[in-house]
Amino acid sequence: MTAILVVGAGFAGAVHARELAERGWRVEVIDRRPHIAGNAFDMVDSTGVRRHVYGPHLFHTSNDRVVDWLRRFTDFLPYEHRVGAYVAELGRCVPLPVNRTTINAVFGETLADAAAVQDFLARIALPIAAPANAAEYLHARIGTRLTDLFFRPYTRKMWGLELEQMAAAVVARIPLRFDTDDRYFPTETHQGLPKGGYTELIGRILDHPNIRVSLATAFDQAMPKGFAFCFNSMPIDEYFGFALGPLPYRSLRFHHRAEPRGYRLGTTAQVNFTDDGIYTRQSDWSLLPGHVLAAGPLKTVTLEEPCADHENGMERYYPVKTSDGAPEKLYARYRTLAQAEPKIQFIGRCGTYRYLDMDQVINQSLQSVRAWLAERGQAASARNTHADDR
Ligand SMILES: Cc1cc2nc3c(=O)[nH]c(=O)nc-3n(C[C@H](O)[C@H](O)[C@H](O)COP(=O)(O)OP(=O)(O)OC[C@H]3O[C@@H](n4cnc5c(N)ncnc54)[C@H](O)[C@@H]3O)c2cc1C
């Protein structure tokens, strides 16, 4: 049996490994971290609460095929994500994305319906016909008060940029609701959390007699030589020794606090901070279904402090998007180098330098591995033949 090397035991690597193993390939999965599941890794900590170690992971999708594939390995606990934005001057949280409830709270209004909200926003918006940047786009849509409260400090903290430095397109997709729907993903047809957590889910995907997993094992340029092919989810610039320069990422430092079980900041598991402090958001894991595993007096609450990847041990979380598109252009040059590698395909978030949600990585991986198998005359099984092209 010929063997394939898969670098990375996150969703991208695990999906590739499973599909290959089911087609009869022997698969060696390596990961330099001491655990599987990549950035979706979760564990039960000393307070008895399940914590997502690399930030909150909420599964949401409208892709039935991804859900069908995952349901082979897990059941889902129903969960609809909601986010509160803590506004100090109100002393409480209001819904995000901005909706009618948010606007009424911030302005002390009693707008009764969508038409009233639209009239109100039209009155507070600035007359800017052709917004030149993100600040102008927001001013033209929602005025200065909502922009400065919900977008300006958060953007500065998250990206280290002023709204004036960002392209209008970056904020053009941020939803604004005229009703009181406070669900974060109202249009997704599937939302939920894997019943036993993400680590268990990925462990089950990797649990196949043809798959061997080696943890705490970093990729080495000599490794692929012993294999028929390599699917690689490591950062593509790192593979090429940063020959063209590093691809920039934002990262997050996580600060954990043990709080009494009765502690609450709002009613939502995620609270965003609108102030000028260092934190962008807080996760109260105990408010996610299935996340309190043991009784106890305390629970962990995690705060996020954004920073550059080089300020955080090269933990790469979010590809940086600048208005001149420089990072994407640099990635395109790495991709050209990669196309000259006949036995390696780059996969996943850092391999393809795209911020991808879990469902997108799973879908991308099913497509990629299925195309690879088809080229070798190995059609995918019927249950996996329909990943969407998203
Ligand atoms: C803070 C944060 C919050 C997120 N929230 C959500 C969410 O709510 N919903 C959602 O759908 N998605 C979310 N995501 C996205 C989600 O994490 C990704 O879609 C998913 O983890 C991508 O899987 P992957 O396998 O491509 O990458 P990863 O999970 O990063 O896995 C790649 C693996 O490769 C390993 N690796 C890297 N280099 C090497 C090397 N040289 N040698 C060996 N191993 C190596 C890494 O250690 C890692 O384990 C979030 C991401 C972040 C960062």
Side-chain angles (χ1 to χ4, degrees):
M1 199 191 300
T2 323
I4 307 275
L5 176 65
V6 170
V7 182
F11 269 112
V15 172
H16 277 80
R18 182 73 191 205
E19 290 286 302
L20 291 162
E22 289 182 356
R23 304 267 74 71
W25 294 87
R26 195 160 56 77
V27 188
E28 179 78 31
V29 178
I30 61 161
D31 201 300
R32 65 180 162 196
R33 287 173 171 160
H35 59 74
I36 60 164
N39 282 348
F41 175 62
D42 54 17
M43 43 88 92
V44 180
D45 75 11
S46 57
T47 67
V49 166
R50 175 173 288 129
R51 169 156 64 82
H52 304 184
V53 172
Y54 302 96
H57 278 64
L58 300 320
F59 182 75
H60 59 94
T61 189
S62 293
N63 187 326
D64 291 345
R65 286 79 173 201
V66 165
V67 176
D68 289 348
W69 194 87
L70 287 175
R71 282 211 172 112
R72 294 173 53 200
F73 308 101
T74 187
D75 291 327
F76 283 91
L77 296 172
Y79 171 69
E80 289 197 298
H81 193 48
R82 289 178 167 77
V83 176
Y86 185 76
V87 180
E89 66 193 61
L90 297 175
R92 65 182 170 97
C93 291
V94 294
L96 268 187
V98 171
N99 69 7
R100 177 148 57 91
T101 312
T102 318
I103 292 171
N104 279 336
V106 170
F107 293 97
E109 293 283 340
T110 51
L111 305 170
D113 55 27
V117 174
Q118 282 166 309
D119 284 351
F120 181 79
L121 289 176
R123 272 185 272 127
I124 63 172
L126 302 188
I128 302 171
N133 54 50
E136 289 191 6
Y137 179 89
L138 289 167
H139 288 162
R141 203 166 171 220
I142 57 174
T144 54
R145 172 90 179 102
L146 293 171
T147 300
D148 290 346
L149 186 55
F150 296 113
F151 296 97
R152 191 173 289 285
Y154 198 89
T155 304
R156 195 181 289 140
K157 287 184 277 192
M158 184 64 214
W159 297 105
L161 292 171
E162 293 300 324
L163 287 168
E164 284 75 7
Q165 296 171 276
M166 299 179 77
V170 176
V171 289
R173 286 170 54 195
I174 293 173
L176 176 63
R177 310 226 174 94
F178 304 124
D179 57 16
T180 55
D181 190 345
D182 61 354
R183 291 169 302 160
Y184 204 72
F185 306 112
T187 59
E188 298 282 45
T189 52
H190 300 280
Q191 286 190 63
L193 296 169
K195 199 169 180 183
Y198 291 101
T199 308
E200 180 186 281
L201 162 60
I202 292 187
R204 287 180 179 171
I205 295 172
L206 290 168
D207 182 15
H208 189 284
N210 286 350
I211 299 177
R212 193 173 71 169
V213 180
S214 302
L215 298 176
T217 306
F219 175 80
D220 180 297
Q221 291 288 346
M223 280 179 180
K225 288 194 183 74
F227 293 88
F229 199 82
C230 173
F231 289 100
N232 196 333
S233 66
M234 73 186 283
I236 190 168
D237 53 343
E238 187 182 331
Y239 174 86
F240 289 106
F242 307 103
L244 307 173
L247 287 165
Y249 287 85
R250 287 299 276 177
S251 190
L252 298 171
R253 290 193 195 99
F254 299 105
H255 302 267
H256 307 295
R257 281 201 327 238
E259 294 283 357
R261 285 275 169 103
Y263 163 86
R264 289 272 183 285
L265 181 62
T267 55
T268 54
Q270 182 184 324
V271 171
N272 287 15
F273 297 111
T274 57
D275 63 10
D276 287 320
I278 60 171
Y279 302 121
T280 42
R281 57 181 188 171
Q282 168 176 305
S283 297
D284 183 339
W285 310 107
S286 72
L287 297 180
L288 295 174
H291 278 55
V292 178
L293 280 299
L298 298 174
K299 63 180 179 180
T300 300
V301 167
T302 303
L303 293 118
E304 296 177 20
E305 176 195 2
C307 58
D309 54 357
H310 56 81
E311 296 170 322
N312 191 32
M314 295 312 290
E315 282 287 343
R316 300 163 173 92
Y317 293 160
Y318 303 102
V320 171
K321 281 192 186 301
T322 56
S323 49
D324 62 2
E328 283 106 325
K329 285 177 197 152
L330 180 56
Y331 166 66
R333 293 176 59 212
Y334 276 115
R335 207 175 141 70
T336 304
L337 290 184
Q339 278 157 359
E341 300 271 331
K343 280 174 53 181
I344 293 196
Q345 187 175 316
F346 289 89
I347 61 173
R349 194 178 45 90
C350 291
T352 60
Y353 195 62
R354 282 172 64 200
Y355 179 83
L356 296 167
D357 275 328
M358 294 177 283
D359 63 322
Q360 295 171 305
V361 164
I362 294 163
N363 193 57
Q364 181 198 62
S365 298
L366 288 173
Q367 285 183 327
S368 124
V369 71
R370 191 172 320 127
W372 188 90
L373 287 164
E375 279 170 25
R376 282 150 189 84
Q378 289 185 293
S381 60
R383 62 186 169 198
N384 291 333
T385 51
H386 35 227
D388 283 347
D389 190 10
R390 296 179 73 198

